[in-house]
Amino acid sequence: MKSGEQSVSGTSAFIMSDRVNHDTEDNTQTNGMQEYRTKLPAQMYSRSNFSIWSFLRKCIGMELSKITMPVIFNEPLSFLQRLCEYMEHTSLINKATTSPDSIQRMQCVAAFAVSAVASNWERTGKPFNPLLGETYELFREDLGFRLVSEQVSHHPPVSAFHAEGLNGDFIFHGSVYPKLKFWGKSVEAEPRGTITFELPKHNEVYTWTNPSCCVHNVIIGRLWIEQYGCMEIVNHSTGERCCITFKPCGLFGKELHKLEGYVQDKSKKKVAILYGKWTECLWSVDPAIYEAHKKNDKKFIEKFNTKLQEREAVSEGGDSDEADDIPAPEVTETVNVLPGSKLLWRVQPRPSNSAQMYNFTRFAMTLNELLSDTSAIAPTDSRLRSDIQAMENGDIDLASEEKTRLEEKQRAARWQRGQTGEEWLTSWFKQGSNVHTGAPDWIYTGDYWKREYSNCPDIF
C-alpha cells in the first residue's frame, strides 16, 4: 500500500453500496448472459444557458489537459471508459481471427480501427479526465473479451489499456496521451501513442495511430466533429501495410467524413482500395476497378447509384429484371458504391434516445453501469467516481462539487509526495518500450485479474 493511503474511501464505499442495491433490481440475466441497460438514469443536461465563450476565451492556444474545465462540458464517462469503446465491434476481431488470408485479415483489422473512431460522431461532450491511479475494467462474456485500463501518468496525461480474448484469440493494448488545444472556434485533439493488435493464432502483430479529431463551432452555431489525418496500419509479421486517409471537410463540405486508403502487400503492390465514411461504413474494391471509375466513369457511378434507388423502390412493390445486376439495397445512401465492392463494416444504428443521452451508442450506455457483483472490481474503478455518478443521475451541481473535491484531493496527494520525495507507483502497468516499434509504451504486468487490490490507492 502506498504511504498514507487506504484501500477504499468512505465516499466510494457508500456509492458502491448504494449503487449495488439500486442496480440489483434492474439487472437481469437471459440464458445465463448478463443483460445491460439501454438508457442512462437521467437525460442530458441542457448547455443552452451556459456561456462557453466566457470560459474558453481565456484558453486560446492553450493545452486543455492542464486546465480545470467546468463540468457542463463533460459527458458522464471517464476517458478510460471512452477508450473501451474500441471494443464495440468485436465481430470484426472474430472475422480477422477466422480469415485464412493475411490480406483479408488486414482489411478486417482496418475496419476494426475505423469502427473505433465512429463512436466520436456527434459526441461533443468531453470525457472526465482520469485521476492518477484510476482504473477501469470491462468483462464481457457475451462479446468474448476482458479489458483493464489505468491512468499511469497525470502530467502528461497517459492512459494505458490491455484487452484480451477470453479464448486467447487476440491481444489488444496501447497507451494513449491525446493533446487537446483550443483555437478560438474549435477544439483539436491530437492523438499520441501506439495501438497494438495481436493475433496469436496467425503469429501476427499490427500497430497504428489514430487520426486527429476537431470539434467545431464551440462558441456559436451547431457543434460538429471532423476527423482528419493518416492512419497507417502495419503488419509487422508479413510486411503488409494499410494506409487510410481521413479527409478534412474542405471548403464546401464535400469531403466531410470521407476516408480513402489502400492495402499493399510486402512487395508494396496495392491489392485493395478502401473507401467510405468513418460515420457510416467501409468498403473494399479491386484497385483496377477503382482507378477505372475514378478516371473515366463518373457518369457510370451516377447511373449505378440511380439503379440502387430504383432497386429500393421496386423492392417495396415487386420484382425487377435488373435485380441481379446491383448490390442488395442495404448499402448506405451517402456513399457511392462501386461495382464489385465488398462491405467490410457498417456502423450500428444508435438508439432512439441517443440524442437525450449525450449521443451515446448502445455500447456506451452500459460502460458506467454498476452491476450486482461489484465486490470484484478495484476500489479505483471509474464507476465509483462520485462526480460521474452525479452527472449521470442529472445532478450537475453535485457533479461539479465532487469533481472539484476529487481534483483538490489529487493535488494535495501530489503535494504530499513532493514534500516526502515519494515516487508514484503504478499498479497494473509498467513503463517500457513497444517491442514492435521501439516507441515508449506502458506494458501490462498481467496481475490485475488476480483480484488482489490491497495496495490500491485511495483516490476517491
Side-chain angles (χ1 to χ4, degrees):
M1 183 177 294
K2 298 179 177 69
S3 177
E5 295 168 341
Q6 301 174 358
S7 59
V8 185
S9 68
T11 302
S12 297
F14 172 79
I15 293 173
M16 180 185 293
S17 175
D18 178 69
R19 292 291 292 177
V20 170
N21 292 335
H22 173 74
D23 286 335
T24 300
E25 301 175 0
D26 298 336
N27 298 129
T28 58
Q29 290 191 348
T30 301
N31 297 326
M33 287 292 183
Q34 178 69 51
E35 288 190 345
Y36 297 90
R37 68 186 183 185
T38 57
K39 64 180 181 179
L40 302 180
Q43 293 189 8
M44 176 181 173
Y45 187 84
S46 175
R47 300 187 179 111
S48 60
N49 296 326
F50 185 83
S51 175
I52 298 178
W53 175 243
S54 63
F55 175 81
L56 287 183
R57 63 184 178 184
K58 306 173 185 178
C59 308
I60 296 177
M62 299 178 65
E63 187 177 344
L64 296 185
S65 63
K66 299 180 180 179
I67 300 170
T68 300
M69 304 285 285
V71 74
I72 193 67
F73 285 110
N74 290 92
E75 63 178 19
L77 288 177
S78 167
F79 183 70
L80 295 180
Q81 294 168 306
R82 189 75 179 260
L83 279 177
C84 290
E85 294 187 51
Y86 257 115
M87 307 306 298
E88 181 169 1
H89 300 278
T90 52
S91 60
L92 296 170
I93 296 178
N94 298 332
K95 289 181 180 179
T97 302
T98 57
S99 294
D101 178 71
S102 63
I103 296 298
Q104 293 179 18
R105 291 194 292 273
M106 172 63 85
Q107 293 184 66
C108 291
V109 172
F112 176 67
V114 171
S115 73
V117 177
S119 66
N120 290 336
W121 181 54
E122 294 194 338
R123 295 277 291 280
T124 55
K126 177 183 177 295
F128 282 75
N129 290 335
L131 301 169
L132 183 61
E134 183 178 331
T135 62
Y136 180 72
E137 72 163 72
L138 189 61
F139 187 100
R140 290 293 297 261
E141 184 178 3
D142 56 329
L143 299 179
F145 75 88
R146 63 184 186 182
L147 178 148
V148 59
S149 56
E150 179 183 2
Q151 191 70 5
V152 293
S153 174
H154 186 61
H155 288 303
V158 181
S159 306
F161 70 92
H162 180 95
E164 55 195 21
L166 298 182
N167 296 323
D169 49 344
F170 75 91
I171 302 172
F172 180 53
H173 57 95
S175 51
V176 181
Y177 38 108
K179 187 176 183 180
L180 303 178
K181 277 196 173 182
F182 174 57
W183 296 113
K185 295 182 179 180
S186 62
V187 174
E188 181 185 41
E190 178 187 350
R192 298 187 179 185
T194 300
I195 307 299
T196 303
F197 181 75
E198 304 180 24
L199 291 174
K201 175 182 176 181
H202 301 286
N203 194 30
E204 291 181 340
V205 177
Y206 303 80
T207 62
W208 68 88
T209 56
N210 287 325
S212 295
C213 177
C214 189
V215 180
H216 294 273
N217 294 340
V218 295
I219 303 302
I220 190 171
R222 185 177 183 272
L223 292 171
W224 61 279
I225 292 178
E226 179 182 23
Q227 303 272 175
Y228 50 86
C230 181
M231 173 190 288
E232 183 181 40
I233 306 171
V234 179
N235 185 331
H236 293 269
S237 305
T238 65
E240 297 158 349
R241 293 175 180 265
C242 175
C243 295
I244 300 176
T245 299
F246 290 73
K247 297 186 177 183
C249 176
L251 186 60
F252 299 105
K254 292 183 178 180
E255 303 297 312
L256 182 62
H257 302 156
K258 289 185 178 180
L259 52 82
E260 183 178 297
Y262 58 87
V263 176
Q264 63 181 27
D265 61 20
K266 60 183 179 181
S267 65
K268 297 186 178 181
K269 176 185 176 181
K270 292 183 180 179
V271 293
I273 298 295
L274 307 183
Y275 67 96
K277 290 188 175 182
W278 61 266
T279 55
E280 296 179 12
C281 57
L282 184 66
W283 292 84
S284 172
V285 71
D286 183 271
I289 295 176
Y290 182 82
E291 291 300 325
H293 288 283
K294 184 178 181 181
K295 293 178 180 179
N296 305 316
D297 276 339
K298 290 184 178 180
K299 290 184 179 180
F300 178 87
I301 293 175
E302 293 175 358
K303 180 180 178 182
F304 178 75
N305 283 284
T306 299
K307 283 188 175 183
L308 290 180
Q309 296 175 1
E310 293 174 353
R311 167 68 176 270
E312 291 176 356
V314 170
S315 65
E316 297 180 358
D319 297 328
S320 170
D321 294 336
E322 298 180 344
D324 294 332
D325 298 333
I326 54 178
E330 75 268 9
V331 291
T332 181
E333 297 178 356
T334 63
V335 173
N336 290 326
V337 182
L338 302 181
S341 294
K342 175 184 178 182
L343 180 64
L344 299 178
W345 161 78
R346 185 186 301 284
V347 71
Q348 294 294 322
R350 294 194 178 179
S352 59
N353 59 350
S354 178
Q356 293 77 42
M357 304 287 169
Y358 302 88
N359 289 307
F360 280 5
T361 63
R362 295 182 186 277
F363 187 75
M365 294 274 196
T366 69
L367 294 179
N368 202 51
E369 182 178 16
L370 267 175
L371 305 177
S372 55
D373 182 15
T374 58
S375 59
I377 66 174
T380 50
D381 195 279
S382 301
R383 297 176 182 88
L384 304 179
R385 282 188 60 156
S386 53
D387 51 354
I388 296 179
Q389 290 291 351
M391 186 175 198
E392 187 178 73
N393 290 322
D395 193 336
I396 299 301
D397 291 336
L398 179 59
S400 182
E401 293 173 5
E402 286 300 295
K403 180 174 180 286
T404 299
R405 181 185 67 81
L406 292 173
E407 290 170 347
E408 289 178 349
K409 182 172 184 176
Q410 179 173 240
R411 282 190 288 269
R414 184 169 64 247
W415 180 86
Q416 182 64 34
R417 289 195 302 273
Q419 293 298 108
T420 62
E422 179 186 3
E423 292 187 6
W424 175 264
L425 299 177
T426 54
S427 297
W428 313 112
F429 293 81
K430 62 181 180 180
Q431 198 165 16
S433 299
N434 189 300
V435 296
H436 308 290
T437 65
D441 205 349
W442 287 83
I443 312 302
Y444 177 54
T445 64
D447 296 333
Y448 180 84
W449 301 104
K450 295 178 181 178
R451 302 293 189 188
E452 298 174 359
Y453 304 136
S454 59
N455 289 329
C456 286
D458 172 18
I459 59 174
F460 299 148

